[in-house]
Amino acid sequence: MKPTLLFAVFLFLGVQIQAQLQSPEEFLGYKIGEQFSRHADVVDYFDHVAKNSPLVQYHTYGKTNERRPLIYAIISSEENLKNLEEIRKNHLGNTGIAKTETKAEKAIVWLSYNVHGNEASSTEAAIKTLYELITQKQDYLQNTVIIMDPSVNPDGRDRYVNWYNQVKAEPYSPLQAAAEHHEPWPGGRPNHYLFDLNRDWAWATQVETQQRLKIYNRWMPHIHVDFHEQGINDPYYFAPAAEPFHEIITPFQKDFQTEIGKNHAKYFDEEGWLFFTKERFDLLYPSYGDTYPTYMGAIGMTYEQAGHGRAGLGINTDEAYELTLKDRVAHHHTTGLSTIEIASKNTQALNSEFKKYFNNEDLEYKSYAVKGNPDKIASLKKLLDRHEITYKKANSENIRGFNYSEAKKGNLKADENTLVISTQQPKGKMVNVLFEPTTRLSDSLTYDITAWSLPYAYGLEAIAATRTIETKVSSEVSEIKNTAKPLGAGYISKWNAIQDAQFLAELLKEGIKVRFTEAAFSIEDKKFDRGSLIITKSDNKAHTDFDNTLIKIANKHQRDLVAANTSFAGSGPDFGSPKMKLINAPKVAILKGEGVSSLNYGEIWHFFEQNLNYPLTSINTNYFKSIDLAQFDVLILPEANYNSILNENTLKQVKDWVSNGGKLIAMGRAVGFFAANKDFNLKHNKPTSKDTTKVESLIPYAERERETIKSMITGSIIKTKLDKTHPMAFGYNDTYFSLKLSNSSYKFLENGYNVGYIQQPEIIAGFAGSSAVKNLENSLVFGEERMGSGSIIYMVDNPLFRAFWENGKLFFANSVFFVNNNKFRL
């Protein structure tokens, strides 16, 4: 075949392929903006485009909890797609992650849509943007590679879309009062476990995040955009972001945001669309879809379109105009293309500045050293592995620097488990952000928590060193293989990490009876602390294969069983002592539904199913009053305003149930309900300062918001004292670093147990207003109040916050399994 004829054949085939490509309207059967597309339809269309366009590759990167596919497309020129792996490696060469001699010349742009399921216009915009890129904007693709994730949160999106398609009027109603503008609980914003995926990037507790990070780490884009929606009366927000900016963000990152924003403004001004910049959305908290990429060297940005779950296909705003889905799609579509346009015009600057970002020589702290419980170290290593951050073992015995426990300069005596995380690695700036003892604030008005340092979150001793700590390659942890069967009494297992609670949970589900000790003891010269688990042969005579089942479960959970040949203690209580409490396998229930914080409910639900793997029964608030609570041992009240949920009759039922041996766990705002009720011992800590109403009334209008922060606490770490002799604190030392999320303050229990408490507040990291700090003097953090033969457990601070505060999880396990566990089901 002659070359000219061969070319003609290829040209003909190319035309045929393009002819088979359908527009979104042709494929879906409606114009974008006329309907909300189900996730399955979005997946099918992206697959269709990839099969019929040489400019698109289609991939799946995992599945959600509800088994929906997580997908992404790579869009670029034909030549670029043919050389994609070479482009990727050349790009990673700028970070130091890959070793290459070839210069990177392409811009990598990642567009993430619909991380909040009910902010659903962005996925529709993704479909439109995909089609226009390959049919009208091919010139952008010559020097850019675009990675497009059309729905980060498919479970939340379908929850919203399916509900809306069921209830909307035909034609839709723009009236705010219409049912289609009022989502039922829990709404479409969160994922299956009701987590906010836009706050999970750094902590990676959710399957969507864990799977997405694998792809993100392969690409490390120059630009990352997270498409969102906000209230119906706020037009459109785009970068530049608001203060505070984390100090590690470079001038180029700030300036390039502004350049992109100005380009957006040009298009918005041409259309007469309103927008705002530099307000609300700061760049500090590291777990957002704009900050996480920023700390990984990208230009990370949030775009916020008016609408949210209220807007539907169209809604009347308070400013007397109708906001339609078509409008919202057009705005997101425009900023998406504008972003790619600026990237394509600035590939050289993006590559050169990106490379500079990964030079970490100027960082103050060169190394972070952490030591402590091996299980907690293992949990931290698991998180670092997800982010592909490297670590080694310490090769120095005495390490000097900033001591986290003492909040000042000091020493750390390294042991065989001491881990060193260096900032002199490609992702050193992210290491700095995650580990720095205190984050500096250029402005105390922030959008989220202001403290998150991982050594505090994981309950580890730590040093931040201004020099490079000598290290050695980490050796593999040897696998625990229990084999020994005692001649006599039974087995003993430690209790000081959430992994121990996972072990206990499976034992109880397998019908193995377990005790825990309320006092330290020793047997055969081995010492055991409070909370240690005792599994005796005498308690498990009815179990048909006790030894083998126990050893199998212990090996699965990597728990080291100590074989006890006698129950006679060298010191402390013997196995038969009343201080060796038999653990009831508790039946646990939790309230959900209207009025309950969906986020807090989700945290608890996730904890039971994904951390403990222990049964949890959810009860809806709309039928709670008809439930016989006698079938449960534990009832959990997530954050909520319980005035409307627990009326006089229902509250009486709850009190009677507690008095008869039930255990109630109240969290966060739920605690305030009991403090306001005269039948309970808990009371509010009220400010004692003189009346300042007259002074406050003279504060100028423009300064009122800033003045309010004096009484606010925005996620700060505070030193908390513990009564480690109480079962709720078993496994802890006498000090705990708590993440305080509000200014709520309660007096010490006069008739109860003050397990965690604050006397003179000591803020370790993060912002806390002066008035709020003062009001925390002599206040309760964790406590137990007895009522009859039952208990009410108060958790003022949330130990399960976003599932990332690892060191708090054992408090919750202790509360469920240990505290006042005085009943046993036969």
Side-chain angles (χ1 to χ4, degrees), residues 571-786:
S571 63
D574 302 318
F575 284 4
S577 166
K579 292 185 181 296
M580 298 287 191
K581 303 286 187 181
L582 197 60
I583 299 173
N584 164 37
K587 304 283 187 179
V588 186
I590 184 173
L591 277 189
K592 64 176 288 188
E594 291 295 336
V596 173
S597 164
S598 61
L599 294 174
N600 191 215
Y601 165 78
E603 289 162 348
I604 300 165
W605 179 24
H606 181 267
F607 174 74
F608 274 87
E609 289 195 357
Q610 297 298 316
N611 291 153
L612 281 186
N613 192 20
Y614 191 81
L616 177 70
T617 301
S618 294
I619 301 173
N620 206 292
T621 55
N622 61 14
Y623 61 80
F624 173 61
K625 63 183 179 182
S626 64
I627 294 296
D628 179 12
L629 290 177
Q631 60 193 303
F632 300 105
D633 303 297
V634 180
L635 175 62
I636 303 169
L637 302 185
E639 293 219 29
N641 182 349
Y642 282 96
N643 290 320
S644 59
I645 298 172
L646 297 180
N647 59 30
E648 185 176 349
N649 291 334
T650 309
L651 181 59
K652 184 180 184 304
Q653 293 175 14
V654 171
K655 289 192 294 185
D656 289 345
W657 171 78
V658 173
S659 295
N660 288 325
K663 186 159 53 181
L664 191 72
I665 301 176
M667 297 186 69
R669 283 184 294 125
V671 175
F673 171 80
F674 296 94
N677 192 300
K678 60 180 176 60
D679 293 338
F680 301 91
N681 183 246
L682 187 70
K683 302 302 174 191
H684 283 285
N685 232 355
K686 296 180 179 178
T688 56
S689 58
K690 64 180 182 179
D691 181 30
T692 58
T693 305
K694 292 181 180 180
V695 176
E696 290 175 353
S697 65
L698 298 177
I699 297 172
Y701 174 84
E703 298 175 16
R704 287 288 177 95
E705 182 182 20
R706 192 160 295 281
E707 278 295 312
T708 62
I709 65 174
K710 291 181 179 178
S711 59
M712 291 172 57
I713 295 178
T714 52
S716 43
I717 298 170
I718 189 165
K719 198 170 188 177
T720 303
K721 294 185 177 181
L722 294 181
D723 173 9
K724 64 179 184 179
T725 69
H726 189 280
M728 190 178 177
F730 284 174
Y732 290 92
N733 296 317
D734 55 10
T735 299
Y736 169 70
F737 293 97
S738 186
L739 183 63
K740 187 157 286 294
L741 302 165
S742 76
N743 61 0
S744 298
S745 181
Y746 303 93
K747 293 181 179 179
F748 295 152
L749 293 167
E750 293 183 3
N751 296 303
Y753 301 96
N754 298 290
V755 183
Y757 56 93
I758 299 165
Q759 290 176 299
Q760 290 299 318
E762 186 178 347
I763 304 298
I764 300 299
F767 174 79
S770 55
S771 299
V773 172
K774 182 173 178 57
N775 198 42
L776 289 177
E777 291 181 6
N778 299 319
S779 65
L780 180 73
V781 176
F782 302 121
E784 180 201 3
E785 176 181 348
R786 294 288 173 95

Side-chain angles (χ1 to χ4, degrees), residues 119-183:
E119 298 175 12
S121 70
S122 66
T123 291
E124 310 299 334
I127 297 171
K128 184 174 182 178
T129 303
L130 170 69
Y131 185 70
E132 186 162 331
L133 275 171
I134 62 175
T135 57
Q136 301 178 43
K137 301 292 183 182
Q138 297 99 325
D139 55 323
Y140 292 171
L141 307 182
Q142 299 308 308
N143 58 358
T144 61
V145 174
I146 297 124
I147 301 164
M148 184 180 288
D149 185 337
S151 185
V152 175
N153 180 10
D155 290 351
R157 176 180 172 80
D158 267 3
R159 188 185 310 125
Y160 171 76
V161 169
N162 290 339
W163 165 79
Y164 184 81
N165 289 339
Q166 289 169 7
V167 303
K168 76 177 180 67
E170 189 61 49
Y172 70 83
S173 172
L175 298 177
Q176 292 186 21
E180 61 199 77
H181 302 304
H182 296 271
E183 276 185 277

Side-chain angles (χ1 to χ4, degrees), residues 48-189:
H48 162 77
V49 171
K51 287 176 178 176
N52 292 281
S53 171
L55 307 180
V56 179
Q57 290 185 1
Y58 167 85
H59 302 276
T60 61
Y61 64 91
K63 286 187 178 181
T64 68
N65 287 290
E66 296 174 16
R67 301 188 301 281
R68 292 181 176 87
L70 295 161
I71 70 168
Y72 69 102
I74 301 178
I75 309 146
S76 196
S77 69
E78 287 188 68
E79 183 181 356
N80 288 342
L81 291 183
K82 289 176 183 176
N83 300 302
L84 197 60
E85 185 62 11
E86 181 182 354
I87 290 172
R88 186 185 71 83
K89 288 181 178 178
N90 290 343
H91 170 66
L92 290 183
N94 274 341
T95 70
I97 294 172
K99 304 300 180 184
T100 179
E101 299 297 326
T102 308
K103 184 180 179 182
E105 297 178 336
K106 310 299 180 184
I108 315 298
V109 179
W110 186 306
L111 305 178
S112 290
Y113 299 86
N114 225 156
V115 65
H116 293 147
N118 59 2
E119 298 175 12
S121 70
S122 66
T123 291
E124 310 299 334
I127 297 171
K128 184 174 182 178
T129 303
L130 170 69
Y131 185 70
E132 186 162 331
L133 275 171
I134 62 175
T135 57
Q136 301 178 43
K137 301 292 183 182
Q138 297 99 325
D139 55 323
Y140 292 171
L141 307 182
Q142 299 308 308
N143 58 358
T144 61
V145 174
I146 297 124
I147 301 164
M148 184 180 288
D149 185 337
S151 185
V152 175
N153 180 10
D155 290 351
R157 176 180 172 80
D158 267 3
R159 188 185 310 125
Y160 171 76
V161 169
N162 290 339
W163 165 79
Y164 184 81
N165 289 339
Q166 289 169 7
V167 303
K168 76 177 180 67
E170 189 61 49
Y172 70 83
S173 172
L175 298 177
Q176 292 186 21
E180 61 199 77
H181 302 304
H182 296 271
E183 276 185 277
W185 191 95
R189 178 185 178 91

Side-chain angles (χ1 to χ4, degrees), residues 390-394 418-421 471-474:
T390 61
Y391 47 82
K392 294 182 180 179
K393 284 193 174 183
T418 300
L419 209 64
V420 174
I421 306 95
T471 60
K472 57 185 177 182
V473 176
S474 297

Side-chain angles (χ1 to χ4, degrees), residues 450-512:
T450 54
W452 52 79
S453 185
L454 291 182
Y456 296 120
Y458 281 75
L460 298 167
E461 296 180 67
I463 287 283
T466 56
R467 64 177 182 82
T468 300
I469 298 172
E470 188 178 341
T471 60
K472 57 185 177 182
V473 176
S474 297
S475 56
E476 291 294 323
V477 178
S478 57
E479 184 180 2
I480 293 174
K481 291 185 178 180
N482 295 286
T483 55
K485 297 178 182 179
L487 300 174
Y491 305 84
I492 307 168
S493 183
K494 71 176 184 63
W495 184 269
N496 50 25
I498 192 62
Q499 290 87 340
D500 299 315
Q502 293 166 351
F503 172 52
L504 170 62
E506 184 158 354
L507 292 178
L508 295 177
K509 287 192 300 179
E510 285 293 323
I512 293 177

